[in-house]
Amino acid sequence: MLRRVLAFGALGAGTVSTALSLRTNDYDLNSLGLVRLSRSAYAVVDVAMTYKRELYYKEWDKTTPEYKAEKSRVHKLAAEKLLQLICTNKGVYIKVGQHIGALEYLLPKEFVQTMKVLHSDAPQNPIEDLYKVIRQDLKRDPSELFDSFEPEPLGTASLAQVHKARLKTGEVVAVKVQHPYVLGNSRVDMKTMEMAVRILARIFPDFKIQWLVEESKKNLPIELDFLNEGKNAEKVAAQFQKYSWLRVPKIYWELSTPRVLVMEYLEGGHVTDLDYIKRHKIDSFEVANKIGRLYSEMIFSTGFVHSDPHPGNILVRQTPKNELEIVLLDHGLYANLSDKFRYEYSKLWLSIMKIDRKAMRKHSEQLGITGDLYGLFVCMVTGRPWETLMQGITKVKYSKEEVSHTYITHHHSAELTVSVLVLQINTLQSNTSQVLPHISDVLEQVDRQMLLILKTNDLIRSIESTLRTQNRMTAFWAMSKCCVQSTYAEQRTQQTATSRRWRLELSERWELFKLNVYYLYLGLINFNLLAAFKQVL
């Protein structure tokens, strides 16, 4: 009898919660976790059966062109099925799909290429769906808040859309509105995606991206709280208020909620829009120098790092006084790097500059990398081949192949990227398939904080490549200075004697002086005297 009561009670509770969920979401079946889970399970089984039916139904000679062609066809078919699921379920699924689209050289190219469409063409919701969120959260009709609200979004991402609007007071704003149903389904969606990743790992043994699921599970609740994004924007603006050239949008707190963020609308061109830069007579070297300085200080000095540093979130513009401004957007996710991590990462970079292999191994181990994987790891950190590192990273210009590759991958990577590894792969191992597991091993072993750094490093290299400023190494120079300052700052905290701290201060100043002289020397060799002094000063 008790079992019957409990069973009927559970069934009744489930029915009531389902009905309430449907009512809250305008009776949209797609909002139900059970529907989304069932759809996902069907898609995953369908993908598995596709491989069994189309590829694994017989023994193949895997060296034949016939097998390779058939495998590519089945990969493409499976990827399209997965993309269809992602576009139907939306939300978290799109975010994970964007990650897959950035994992070049870790996944079959058919999967990567198919998912890349999500970077620039993420599905958008009708304007009425967004109005509904605004009404629910602000308890007012959008017509009472805005004089105008442009129906076409400025941008559409996996979790939200941004629209340009004008307040009743006349101020032009950017309104970021979370996609409906994303918050309510996020937990079920992440569990489902975790299951899907495990199944894919069985199909592709080298598909070791459990770290991606773990990072997404940790970061998703933070990204879904837009009030946290507003706080991050104000914090970073305060930290870098010394830089008059940095602009961060002002937040309108009275019109913001966890799902709606109203902020100042700031115009500008994307940092990699060469036509815009040329048309407005912006100095591309100054752009690269300022961005390099900004992110270097975030990583090595403040430890509060903007975690979505792709070019769409960085704008450039000229003020009426003909001065350059950098506009930093999308502050939803920041990382707080530990003092220990910042110190070890700084020491790693200094060991790379000094071509000290013993120190490279030591500080790589402190960041989680074991054994001989440190060689591949430092290539991943620097984005340069091992031969270049052994000659001296500041002495060898980027080759045409490096420049071409970096430029291409910039336009395709919006999430965590390992695409810069292609040159290292070609250099370290002619057989790419033998290197892929080692790349996965590095990403599995490394300190979780390092995943963000790899992403940020790729941003700086991509921008410099697009702006054709990589051989001046302006971002590298700014980072090197921050490395020196960070290591000496950490050493001073360990000293109590005034005399010892004073000696460390003098030593730091001497190291910075040598660094500036060396960079000036490189500038004089490669460029004219005025340009060299401009970059150092």
Side-chain angles (χ1 to χ4, degrees), residues 359-398:
M360 288 182 207
R361 179 187 287 268
K362 173 185 174 182
H363 296 294
S364 294
E365 288 178 354
Q366 291 298 316
L367 293 171
I369 304 302
T370 59
D372 292 334
L373 282 176
Y374 85 93
L376 178 59
F377 177 56
V378 295
C379 289
M380 292 168 68
V381 168
T382 60
R384 305 298 300 275
W386 180 254
E387 287 80 358
T388 295
L389 300 184
M390 291 300 96
Q391 294 176 57
I393 192 171
T394 61
K395 298 176 182 178
V396 182
K397 290 185 178 184
Y398 280 80

Side-chain angles (χ1 to χ4, degrees), residues 273-282:
D273 187 342
L274 297 180
D275 290 337
Y276 179 92
I277 288 173
K278 184 177 181 180
R279 191 165 62 250
H280 290 82
K281 299 180 180 178
I282 294 174

Side-chain angles (χ1 to χ4, degrees), residues 458-501:
D458 191 49
L459 162 79
I460 294 173
R461 284 191 290 267
S462 296
I463 290 174
E464 291 233 320
S465 177
T466 304
L467 298 177
R468 301 293 189 265
T469 62
Q470 68 275 10
N471 278 326
R472 286 203 187 183
M473 292 177 273
T474 52
F476 171 76
W477 167 71
M479 182 187 62
S480 302
K481 288 177 63 177
C482 287
C483 282
V484 171
Q485 292 167 338
S486 177
T487 54
Y488 276 99
E490 181 65 19
Q491 289 178 52
R492 282 196 294 272
T493 62
Q494 307 299 320
Q495 300 297 327
T496 55
T498 304
S499 60
R500 178 59 181 161
R501 291 169 65 91

